[in-house]
């Protein structure tokens, strides 16, 4: 199978040994393949190096920068990496695997392609796999922490909502009590006003005396 990578046709499925060393897999690649890896890791000053020297330089850069590289790849690529690692670092290529994902990871030397026993095969080298396993575990732990933080925030939001509801309820009760108190004060004021009017009312001569004797005012307290 031939695939075009940035204008160049690369033979992806050349026969290979079941060798999981990074040095062996890089040694199988063409000069153009190695250039793609150099570009992916932004390795400078290697144009005059011999192939063996270039491979050694690439190995150092891969092992030092692969954690940063992992942060830039898609979730689909990460899932493909996990599937290969779960298969002990070697997986048969099939129609369910996106070839573009394979090419992208191949250009970063995260996986390598070839034929083993006439089967198109994906391999992750031991050196890379050991680093990736640790990084993917850390990533999963961080994702769990993030999920926990979100959950805690949601709980806090729910608690605050309940507090707000309770405060509104208390405020409404206070308002109702204040209304009742205001009404009581108004009624008392009206009652006092009526009493004052009653007290200030002029007593007629023939009215009952305000002293409560039962006699007419003119025969009781008038003139006293």
């Amino acid at each position: 199978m031939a695939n075009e990578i940035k204008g160049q046709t690369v033979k992806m499925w050349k026969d290979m040994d079941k060798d999981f060393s990074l040095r062996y897999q890089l040694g199988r690649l063409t000069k153009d393949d190695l250039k793609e890896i150099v570009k992916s890791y932004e390795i400078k000053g290697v144009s005059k190096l011999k192939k063996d020297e270039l491979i050694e330089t690439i190995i150092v850069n891969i092992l030092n920068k692969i954690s940063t590289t992992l942060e830039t790849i898609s979730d689909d690529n990460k899932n493909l990496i996990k599937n290969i690692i779960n298969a002990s670092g070697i997986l048969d290529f099939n129609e369910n695997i996106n070839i573009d994902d394979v090419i992208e990871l191949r250009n970063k030397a995260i996986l390598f392609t070839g034929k083993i026993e006439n089967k198109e095969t994906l391999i992750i080298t031991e050196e890379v796999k050991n680093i990736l396993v640790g990084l993917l575990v850390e990533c999963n732990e961080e994702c769990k922490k993030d999920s926990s933080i979100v959950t805690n925030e949601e709980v806090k939001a729910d608690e605050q909502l309940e507090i707000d509801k309770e405060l509104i309820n208390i405020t409404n009760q206070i308002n109702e009590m204040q209304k009742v108190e205001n009404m009581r004060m108004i009624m008392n004021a009206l009652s006092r006003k009526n009493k004052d009017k009653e007290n200030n009312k002029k007593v007629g001569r023939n009215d009952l005396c305000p002293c409560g004797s039962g006699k007419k005012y003119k025969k009781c307290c008038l003139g006293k």
Side-chain angles (χ1 to χ4, degrees), residues 155-166:
V155 169
K156 289 179 180 179
D158 290 340
E159 290 176 349
Q160 186 60 48
L161 182 60
E162 290 300 319
I163 292 172
D164 291 343
K165 287 181 179 179
E166 186 64 24

Side-chain angles (χ1 to χ4, degrees), residues 142-192:
E142 288 300 319
C143 290
K144 289 179 182 178
K145 288 180 182 178
D146 291 342
S147 176
S148 176
I149 290 171
V150 171
T151 301
N152 288 338
E153 289 177 350
E154 289 175 348
V155 169
K156 289 179 180 179
D158 290 340
E159 290 176 349
Q160 186 60 48
L161 182 60
E162 290 300 319
I163 292 172
D164 291 343
K165 287 181 179 179
E166 186 64 24
L167 287 174
I168 292 172
N169 186 40
I170 292 172
T171 301
N172 289 337
Q173 291 180 14
I174 292 173
N175 289 338
E176 289 299 321
M177 293 171 63
Q178 189 64 48
K179 287 179 182 179
V180 172
E181 180 63 18
N182 290 343
M183 184 60 68
R184 187 183 66 80
M185 292 174 64
I186 291 171
M187 295 300 294
N188 288 341
L190 289 174
S191 178
R192 287 195 299 270

Side-chain angles (χ1 to χ4, degrees), residues 1-4 9-13:
M1 181 185 294
N3 289 279
E4 186 174 330
T9 301
V10 177
K11 297 287 185 180
M12 293 179 59
W13 308 109

Side-chain angles (χ1 to χ4, degrees), residues 7 13 22 31 38 43 95 158 209:
W13 308 109
L22 185 54
K31 186 176 181 179
V38 167
I43 305 172
E95 60 183 10
D158 290 340
C209 186

Side-chain angles (χ1 to χ4, degrees), residues 45-120:
V46 294
S47 59
K48 296 182 180 180
L49 295 180
K50 295 179 181 179
K51 185 174 182 179
D52 288 345
E53 295 173 331
L54 178 58
I55 288 173
E56 292 300 323
T57 302
I58 289 174
I59 289 174
V60 171
N61 278 270
I62 290 173
L63 299 181
N64 287 335
K65 298 179 180 179
I66 198 166
S67 59
T68 303
T69 301
L70 188 64
E71 295 174 358
T72 65
I73 65 177
S74 67
D75 289 339
D76 288 340
N77 282 342
K78 289 178 183 176
N79 288 332
L80 177 56
I81 291 170
K82 290 177 184 177
N83 289 338
I84 299 174
I85 290 175
N86 290 337
S88 300
I90 183 169
L91 184 69
D92 290 342
F93 179 77
N94 59 70
E95 60 183 10
N96 295 322
I97 298 174
N98 189 327
I99 190 63
D100 291 332
D101 292 339
V102 173
I103 293 171
E104 182 178 350
L105 294 175
R106 187 176 186 270
N107 286 342
K108 299 178 188 301
I110 292 177
L111 64 75
F112 295 88
T113 61
K115 278 189 177 181
I116 298 177
E117 297 178 355
N118 209 34
K119 291 182 179 179
E120 295 173 347

